[in-house]
Amino acid sequence: MIIRRILTSPAQPGNPIFAYGLLTIIVLLLIWNIQVLLDAPPSYPYDRCGNLVVALMLLFNHLAFQFRWPAGVAVALRVLALGWTAFGLFYVCYESHMLFPLKSSSP
């Protein structure tokens, strides 16, 4: 029943300056990450998507848990947020290191 409570409990009303201010910061971070991703040269050898994955984690969690939504939308957003958090943690902690291993500087 704890999973049902997490998915369906309404968000606690908070300070709107925090909710909308942080949403603005997250959206600006996401725009900046996309701009950096598009401006990176094709020869860039490191992980391009790590920052984007983290920014989307922040966005989905903030939308799901800081704003009031109708019940169906809230459940869908929370499932998306929790699923993306699991994927993001897997990507940042494991997969990005497998896809883009650190190159040693020794000859």
Side-chain angles (χ1 to χ4, degrees), residues 6-105:
I6 289 171
L7 295 177
T8 60
S9 65
Q12 299 299 323
N15 187 349
I17 294 173
F18 169 77
Y20 290 103
L22 189 56
L23 181 62
T24 303
I25 291 171
I26 292 170
V27 169
L28 290 174
L29 177 67
L30 188 59
I31 292 169
W32 178 69
N33 282 329
I34 291 170
Q35 180 183 1
V36 168
L37 182 65
L38 293 176
D39 289 342
S43 62
Y44 185 73
Y46 303 107
D47 184 14
R48 295 171 179 254
C49 300
N51 290 335
L52 187 64
V53 169
V54 172
L56 287 173
M57 281 172 45
L58 288 171
L59 178 66
F60 294 151
N61 278 294
H62 190 70
L63 288 174
F65 293 103
Q66 289 296 318
F67 296 99
R68 287 189 181 263
W69 301 96
V73 175
V75 169
L77 273 174
R78 289 178 182 186
V79 167
L80 174 67
L82 294 173
W84 191 265
T85 299
F87 165 74
L89 289 174
F90 171 76
Y91 183 85
V92 169
C93 294
Y94 178 74
E95 190 64 29
S96 65
H97 299 295
M98 294 291 118
L99 292 174
F100 306 99
L102 295 174
K103 296 177 176 48
S104 64
S105 61

